[in-house]
């Protein structure tokens, strides 16, 4: 099994659901071929360096995975057939792919991402509670803002 990275550009006029279906289709092709997906990055709609198929934008997706050559060849064959794919490139990162090490690294990355998401959620809840309890502005701060508004020079409008 070798270590690969594939970047492909999806037609920008597809909706979010259709774009997700295209990504799912190609990740399914890899998984059916026995590949192990390390990561899937959705870079989103970006401007292209030059017009491709009369389009100036495209939806970029990155796959990093470990697979055998026939699985990669099948995915690339489907890229060529699918009209929704504007461009693609596959790069071999390494000749060997240690599945156990990658599974462990993926699990650690997912655990870190979950911890970050949980911390962000707790922070958002705490800030909502502060605003809900009236801690958003102290009484002194509110009085100072009112005084600042009173001190503002008035303009004569003609």
């Amino acid at each position: 099994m070798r270590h690969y990275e594939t970047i492909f550009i999806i037609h920008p006029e597809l909706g979010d659901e259709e774009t997700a279906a295209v990504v799912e289709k190609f990740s399914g092709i890899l998984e059916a071929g026995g590949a192990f997906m390390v990561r899937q990055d959705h870079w989103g709609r970006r401007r292209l360096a030059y017009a491709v198929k009369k389009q100036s934008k495209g939806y970029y997706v990155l796959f990093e995975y470990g697979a055998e050559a026939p699985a990669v060849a099948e995915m690339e064959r489907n890229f060529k057939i699918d009209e929704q794919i504007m461009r693609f490139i596959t790069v071999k990162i390494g000749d060997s792919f240690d599945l156990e090490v990658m599974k462990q690294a993926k699990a650690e990355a997912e655990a870190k991402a979950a911890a970050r998401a949980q911390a962000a959620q707790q922070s958002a809840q705490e800030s909502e509670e502060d605003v809900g309890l009236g801690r958003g502005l102290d009484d002194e701060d509110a009085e100072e803002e009112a005084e600042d508004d009173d001190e503002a020079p008035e303009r004569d409008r003609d």
Side-chain angles (χ1 to χ4, degrees), residues 24-75:
E24 185 63 33
K25 171 186 172 183
F26 289 105
S27 65
I29 290 171
L30 282 174
E31 290 172 1
F36 176 76
M37 189 70 65
V38 176
R39 72 178 168 150
Q40 242 185 52
D41 279 345
H42 296 260
W43 294 352
R45 284 179 180 74
R46 295 177 175 237
R47 192 161 187 258
L48 300 172
Y50 56 89
V52 177
K53 296 185 180 180
K54 298 183 182 180
Q55 297 294 319
S56 61
K57 292 185 177 182
Y59 189 91
Y60 284 73
V61 179
L62 168 82
F63 284 171
E64 182 182 350
Y65 55 95
E68 298 295 333
V72 177
E74 178 63 18
M75 183 183 63

Side-chain angles (χ1 to χ4, degrees), residues 22-156:
V22 170
V23 172
E24 185 63 33
K25 171 186 172 183
F26 289 105
S27 65
I29 290 171
L30 282 174
E31 290 172 1
F36 176 76
M37 189 70 65
V38 176
R39 72 178 168 150
Q40 242 185 52
D41 279 345
H42 296 260
W43 294 352
R45 284 179 180 74
R46 295 177 175 237
R47 192 161 187 258
L48 300 172
Y50 56 89
V52 177
K53 296 185 180 180
K54 298 183 182 180
Q55 297 294 319
S56 61
K57 292 185 177 182
Y59 189 91
Y60 284 73
V61 179
L62 168 82
F63 284 171
E64 182 182 350
Y65 55 95
E68 298 295 333
V72 177
E74 178 63 18
M75 183 183 63
E76 289 184 343
R77 185 184 74 79
N78 281 283
F79 279 147
K80 292 175 187 174
I81 293 170
D82 198 333
E83 292 179 6
Q84 298 167 340
I85 303 299
M86 295 168 49
R87 289 282 193 269
F88 68 92
I89 186 167
T90 300
V91 178
K92 181 176 71 169
I93 296 176
D95 285 329
S96 64
F97 182 81
D98 191 357
L99 188 60
E100 294 303 319
V101 171
M102 287 298 172
K103 281 183 179 179
Q104 185 178 8
K106 184 176 180 179
E108 289 173 2
E110 289 174 352
K112 285 180 183 178
R116 273 188 251 124
Q118 185 178 11
Q121 184 179 13
Q122 286 177 348
S123 175
Q125 287 176 348
E126 289 172 0
S127 65
E128 287 176 5
E129 289 173 2
D130 288 348
V131 171
L133 295 174
R135 295 184 196 159
L137 279 178
D138 291 340
D139 291 335
E140 294 175 12
D141 292 338
E143 289 175 12
E144 287 178 14
E145 280 189 19
E147 289 175 8
D148 291 342
D149 291 342
D150 293 339
E151 294 174 7
E154 296 183 16
R155 296 183 188 174
D156 291 332

